[in-house]
Amino acid sequence: MFPFTIVTGVTGCTLIVMSMITLFYPPKKINSTYGYRTKASMRNPQTWEEANRYSSKLMLLCGGILTATALLSFFIPSLSQTGIITGIILTFLFSLLPIPLTERHLKKLFDKAGNRKTE
């Protein structure tokens, strides 16, 4: 098996498992050990719940994309031989992508004080 397949497959499956845990067992209270923890998400219970719900769905999507890429590499030999560097780049990209997307989502829904914006 090629390093690309291993790196993307393991990371994709890990993201899927982590997202399923937080989707089915979301953190009930704001805490410093479990859940999506940023300054914006920890402003109040509403931002906390929204950030954890949204980031879990994004992690599931990113994990699915990485896992699908790993599975595709079995059928497209040139993809599986792209190397570990490409796998690591994709891993970092899809592991970190939920953070700026969740922060942007929170900025759209809440003001700086954590109050839900009205349209």
Side-chain angles (χ1 to χ4, degrees), residues 1-19:
M1 196 172 308
F2 295 101
F4 175 84
T5 306
I6 295 169
V7 169
T8 55
V10 168
T11 305
C13 289
T14 302
L15 285 174
I16 289 171
V17 169
M18 288 171 42
S19 69

Side-chain angles (χ1 to χ4, degrees), residues 26-40:
K28 306 227 183 309
K29 298 178 186 174
I30 298 172
N31 65 76
S32 61
T33 55
Y34 175 59
Y36 181 85
R37 298 174 313 276
T38 64
K39 186 177 179 181

Side-chain angles (χ1 to χ4, degrees), residues 22-110:
T22 55
L23 277 172
F24 292 120
Y25 304 102
K28 306 227 183 309
K29 298 178 186 174
I30 298 172
N31 65 76
S32 61
T33 55
Y34 175 59
Y36 181 85
R37 298 174 313 276
T38 64
K39 186 177 179 181
S41 70
M42 297 173 81
R43 284 196 176 112
N44 62 45
Q46 292 78 28
T47 57
W48 177 253
E49 288 174 15
E50 182 63 26
N52 280 284
R53 184 194 63 77
Y54 190 79
S55 67
S56 294
K57 289 180 180 181
L58 282 176
M59 274 196 320
L60 182 61
L61 176 66
C62 290
I65 291 170
L66 279 176
T67 304
T69 304
L71 292 173
L72 277 175
S73 71
F74 282 115
F75 304 107
I76 305 171
S78 61
L79 181 62
S80 65
Q81 295 173 356
T82 56
I84 195 158
I85 299 297
T86 307
I88 290 171
I89 290 169
L90 285 174
T91 295
F92 277 119
L93 175 69
F94 284 104
S95 295
L96 298 176
L97 189 61
I99 297 169
L101 294 178
T102 301
E103 292 300 305
R104 188 178 75 180
H105 179 72
L106 290 176
K107 280 184 182 178
K108 248 196 257 186
L109 293 181
F110 299 96

